[in-house]
Amino acid sequence: MDSSEKGNLDQVKHVVLVLSGKGGVGKSTITTELALALRHAGKKVGILDVDLCGPSIPRMLSVGKPEVHQCDAGWVPVYADPQQQLALMSIGFLLEDSDEAVVWRGPKKTALIGQFVSDVAWGELDVLLVDTPPGTSDEHLAVLENLRKHKVDGAVLVTTPQAVSTGDVRREITFCKKTGVKILGIVENMSGFVCPHCSECSNIFSKGGGEELAKLTGSVFLGSVPLDPLLTASLEEGRDFLQAFPESSTYTAISQIANTLLSSLDA
Amino acid sequence: MTVRAQAVTRLVNHQPVKDAQTKTYVRLVLPKLLIQVALLDVDICGPSIPKIMGLEGEQVHQSGSGWSPVYVEDNLAVMSIGFLLSSPDDAVIWRGPKKNGMIKQFLRDVDWGEVDYLIVDTPPGTSDEHLSIVQYLSGAGIDGAVIITTPQVNNRKSCDEGKSFLTEVPDSPAAVAYQNIVQKIRDYCSSNSTSDEPC
């Protein structure tokens, strides 16, 4: 085993994959908000964005387009905060043109993900969150193959309430079972809409699909996060929603999910 | 059996807009115009079309002329890997080359018959499925693409990426940005809001 490979992940206490069967469920949003919540809870967090064709986390964390530097141990991750409690590595940092599409076939994606997993000098981390694209294909297999040398604590599955979304998450559950990844729990995103004007929470997309799915498959239901325009706006502007709106019900929802996740990781 | 498509439109779906329900609104319009429509679902890992079209549990049959697609109506034929899976829990854990092979089979081995419009639903991103469908249909000539999005700025960037991917596809008046979800919220809120200010 290459010693630098072992070193780069050796000080990472927990590795959590964030998966969804479906696109558009807000997986990157949930990954970002979970990372911020864990940081607010005093943890050192890293995010590895392996969504090569749609890397959105750099913008959500307002890190812009920094240069990625190398050190002896490998690539230095980009820090989203001056205290260096939230580290990020994304393909988005390596693209010259921000509007450029990454049009790669599977083998090339697999090779780059291999590098991402082994060659980023994360240092000490409490939790490394791995944001994946939707589906069960090259990227997911590449992440698991390259993390085989290091323990993967498990996966958080993100869904929205609709049956179409939960249908795809059932396939993702099968993927986890077949590849031996423990399912840490299911998050139902866009569960209800918090209107900033009338302050009512209305269920425009129905509700409860995620919780039903958890019961059906014997998984833990971590919680639901509403569709909140204030959260959406924060993400677009790269602001820390949790710092800006600590009184909101969305903040409570996300914090509870993060705490439940931490308890199961530390158990 | 070749697809004698007079017009081929491709729907390119970019993150985070893979809620297939949004694209279905577009697709359901065309069959009402009494033309032959074929709907091909190339989202191999996440085939949502069977559920959305109310075709869950349907099977694909084979005959001498190839695989028969599933007909929603006389003039709307559908093909998806979803029809080949035996259970809703079955996961398709395939790498790129195998997905490409399946897409090729869908185009070559399905007995589509005479088709006026072939509409292709794609997964999010710009990868194997997208490259392959453009490559395999290059002989037929793709009319263009419809990019579907929601209003957030993050998604505008995804659409720009989609446009850059589409540079090899000829310019088409069919390229439209279809903004969904926000309209749904506006409709709901305007009928339920107790406040005077529009949401």
Side-chain angles (χ1 to χ4, degrees):
Chain A
M1 187 184 305
D2 181 89
S3 62
S4 71
E5 223 173 77
K6 189 173 189 289
N8 280 336
L9 286 171
D10 209 41
Q11 292 179 290
V12 173
K13 289 200 192 115
H14 299 290
V15 178
V16 176
L17 307 183
V18 183
L19 304 173
S20 79
K22 198 124 197 72
V25 299
K27 197 171 14 58
S28 296
T29 299
I30 294 296
T31 304
T32 303
E33 294 310 312
L34 271 181
L36 290 169
L38 291 169
R39 190 193 66 177
H40 283 297
K43 303 295 175 189
K44 279 198 83 169
V45 190
I47 303 178
L48 177 60
D49 181 359
V50 297
D51 191 345
L52 302 182
C53 296
S56 45
I57 297 194
R59 193 195 167 90
M60 290 178 177
L61 288 173
S62 196
V63 295
K65 284 201 55 62
E67 273 185 41
V68 177
H69 300 287
Q70 295 248 340
C71 66
D72 287 341
W75 290 345
V76 179
V78 173
Y79 290 97
D81 59 334
Q83 301 84 5
Q84 298 199 339
Q85 296 295 306
L86 180 49
L88 169 64
M89 179 52 73
S90 167
I91 184 70
F93 299 146
L94 306 180
L95 297 174
E96 280 181 18
D97 180 354
S98 61
D99 293 334
E100 187 188 319
V102 176
V103 186
W104 293 357
R105 289 194 183 268
K108 197 168 175 182
K109 291 195 283 188
T110 298
L112 182 63
I113 287 170
Q115 272 196 288
F116 264 14
V117 173
S118 336
D119 295 351
V120 176
W122 295 106
E124 256 187 52
L125 286 181
D126 292 299
V127 183
L128 175 62
L129 296 172
V130 184
D131 186 29
T132 61
T136 50
S137 190
D138 298 89
E139 294 91 333
H140 312 86
L141 292 166
V143 164
L144 287 177
E145 275 165 14
N146 284 282
L147 283 174
R148 228 180 327 169
K149 303 179 189 88
H150 186 88
K151 187 184 76 142
V152 172
D153 289 67
V156 168
L157 271 50
V158 181
T159 185
T160 51
Q162 303 96 315
V164 150
S165 175
T166 55
D168 277 320
V169 172
R170 285 175 74 166
R171 293 189 198 107
E172 207 68 27
I173 289 171
T174 304
F175 171 83
C176 289
K177 286 183 179 156
K178 283 198 169 164
T179 52
V181 175
K182 181 179 170 191
I183 296 170
L184 295 168
I186 293 177
V187 172
E188 181 176 295
N189 196 19
M190 303 192 199
S191 187
F193 170 70
V194 178
C195 177
H197 298 297
C198 55
S199 301
E200 283 173 20
C201 190
S202 31
N203 294 324
I204 58 166
F205 289 146
S206 75
K207 196 175 167 65
E211 197 162 4
E212 264 178 52
L213 178 67
K215 277 197 203 121
L216 185 71
T217 56
S219 316
V220 169
F221 182 62
L222 287 171
S224 46
V225 179
L227 190 59
D228 188 337
L230 294 175
L231 172 59
T232 311
S234 296
L235 289 162
E236 287 193 7
E237 294 153 25
R239 280 190 291 127
D240 184 343
F241 169 83
L242 300 176
Q243 209 157 49
F245 302 102
E247 304 296 315
S248 73
S249 54
T250 308
Y251 173 95
T252 311
I254 293 169
S255 298
Q256 272 173 2
I257 292 170
N259 287 335
T260 310
L261 181 63
L262 269 179
S263 307
S264 67
L265 289 176
D266 290 335
Chain B
M1 181 70 69
T2 54
V3 173
R4 288 185 284 278
Q6 293 165 0
V8 174
T9 307
R10 178 162 63 97
L11 294 175
V12 176
N13 190 12
H14 280 269
Q15 285 199 333
V17 201
K18 179 49 187 172
D19 183 346
Q21 290 176 337
T22 68
K23 293 177 291 169
T24 305
Y25 294 126
V26 177
R27 279 187 236 105
L28 286 177
V29 169
L30 286 180
K32 307 292 181 195
L33 304 175
L34 298 177
I35 47 181
Q36 292 296 125
V37 182
L39 174 55
L40 175 58
D41 180 5
V42 298
D43 190 347
I44 305 291
C45 295
S48 307
I49 299 296
K51 185 161 190 85
I52 285 170
M53 302 298 276
L55 299 172
E56 271 188 314
E58 293 284 342
Q59 298 285 306
V60 164
H61 304 285
Q62 254 191 321
S63 69
S65 46
W67 290 349
S68 55
V70 177
Y71 283 88
V72 177
E73 299 180 43
D74 290 341
N75 62 338
L76 175 54
V78 180
M79 178 53 74
S80 166
I81 197 170
F83 299 137
L84 305 176
L85 302 173
S86 52
S87 147
D89 292 318
D90 281 350
V92 182
I93 309 173
W94 289 359
R95 293 185 191 272
K98 204 163 173 184
K99 292 193 284 188
N100 299 336
M102 186 84 253
I103 293 169
K104 209 182 226 174
Q105 269 197 284
F106 280 159
L107 292 172
R108 188 190 58 208
D109 297 342
V110 172
D111 181 11
W112 293 105
E114 289 273 356
V115 170
D116 294 304
Y117 283 92
L118 171 64
I119 300 183
V120 183
D121 183 24
T122 62
T126 48
S127 189
D128 289 274
E129 296 89 334
H130 313 83
L131 286 166
S132 296
I133 200 74
V134 168
Q135 191 189 329
Y136 299 151
L137 286 174
S138 57
I142 297 175
D143 287 68
V146 175
I147 301 178
I148 298 185
T149 182
T150 52
Q152 296 96 310
V153 172
N154 263 337
N155 303 352
R156 214 172 293 156
K157 178 180 172 310
S158 290
C159 284
D160 289 338
E161 287 166 8
K163 283 182 213 157
S164 93
F165 169 77
L166 290 172
T167 49
E168 72 263 35
V169 179
D171 283 345
S172 164
V176 169
Y178 180 77
Q179 295 204 341
N180 197 11
I181 298 183
V182 69
Q183 190 56 53
K184 199 167 177 179
I185 291 172
R186 280 198 183 126
D187 291 345
Y188 190 89
C189 210
S190 62
S191 62
N192 287 285
S193 176
T194 52
S195 150
D196 286 336
E197 198 181 327
C199 296

